[in-house]
Amino acid sequence: MQTKLKTLFVLIIITLTLSLAANAQAESDKFIVVLDAGHGGEEPGKVANSGIKEKDITLKIILEVGKELEKNNNIKVVYTRKADVFVDLFKRGKIANNANADLFVSVHCNAHNSQASGSETYVLGLHRNKTNFEVAKAENSVIFLEENYEENYGGIDPNSPESFVGLTIMQEEYLDQSILLAKNIQDNFTNKLKRKNRGVKQAGFIVLHQTVMPSVLVESGFITNKNEGKYLNSKKGQTEIASAISKAILKYKKTIDISFNNETVFNETDKVDEIVIPSEERNIPNTIFKVQIAAGPKKLAPKSYNFKGLKEVFREKESKLYKYFFGYTSDINKIQQMQKEAKKKGFKSAFIVAYRDGERISLEKALNSTSK
Ligand SMILES: [Zn+2]
């Protein structure tokens, strides 16, 4: 009985471990979007004379965006807040970084003492004019309400974006992708909703500075404008804006997926899929093998979350094309293993390339001429 129980117990543990592993695998394959509703709790953001508060509008829009995105099985949504609570800016970034997210989307509302209207979407960068600077400064002022902000932001001065934007090496890597998403969002606002387009802009938003993934901040509209304020505060307005944002995210995902799976950019003669190597030819000096997993016009950070979890991916530029490689070794057996690994992760067209003394050579040549 004792032994039987033990066996049963071990079996249960094995089954649990296996199913947990399978789950973890499925989860890690998902495209992770972090949705950030600006402000919250004791910090209302902008407040219009009509009484409309930014924190309420941003939360309603974000929850709608999330509802739409969650209809897609291959997308996981993470929220920085789902209720009317205060969340420090640096914690919002931490939530996104810990989730190993593919995208960070922050939603806010604008305000002005004129009847200004329209929407604009920001990526992190140095502001090109005073208006953009003022928008960032207003959003950044949130951190004055946080305890120990000097400590948590490593000397960032919220009133001087120059003090930290120069240090944004990480966001620099994601600039192209951030702009791509920002443009999708603005296009949908303009073309689908016929809203005034204030454009894709750059400014020093602290919340964008905290994340290490493509990130945008949407100023969805002016709560201080009479008509736009009403629209933003209506169920119709919130649903439409949310739908425009979620569709823009889906379109972004599609573009990124295509640039990975686009085989037409490859020269077919370069492609050697299944190779059989005689064992005596397996030790090749001066020759380096790599697995090419993707190529395309998009400059992506060679991070594992951009490449379905593959680690040690590196990028090279060839004319107008970025090529992404996995593995770097003179061992043909090892590179074949790595090709298998890449294919298993979903890079179905992953193929081995060979170099001798830095020059690209055909795989056949690499394998034939060196059986010394
Ligand atoms: Zn705001």
Side-chain angles (χ1 to χ4, degrees), residues 165-218:
V165 169
L167 307 170
T168 53
I169 299 154
M170 288 311 283
Q171 271 301 313
E172 188 80 27
E173 279 280 338
Y174 310 114
L175 191 59
D176 289 354
Q177 287 160 271
S178 303
I179 291 172
L180 177 69
L181 174 65
K183 207 177 158 304
N184 285 353
I185 293 172
Q186 283 305 121
D187 282 352
N188 282 356
F189 283 157
T190 316
N191 302 331
K192 288 188 204 284
L193 304 182
K194 310 289 172 213
R195 302 191 52 223
K196 186 178 170 189
N197 181 12
R198 299 173 65 91
V200 172
K201 299 176 172 180
Q202 275 189 311
F205 289 90
I206 291 174
V207 71
L208 298 182
H209 181 254
Q210 305 297 312
T211 61
V212 288
M213 70 221 49
S215 303
V216 303
L217 186 144
V218 184

Side-chain angles (χ1 to χ4, degrees), residues 38-39 45-46 54 58 107-109 139 219:
H39 314 277
K46 289 140 201 158
E54 182 182 2
T58 61
V107 168
H108 289 256
C109 299
E139 301 292 10
E219 290 287 355

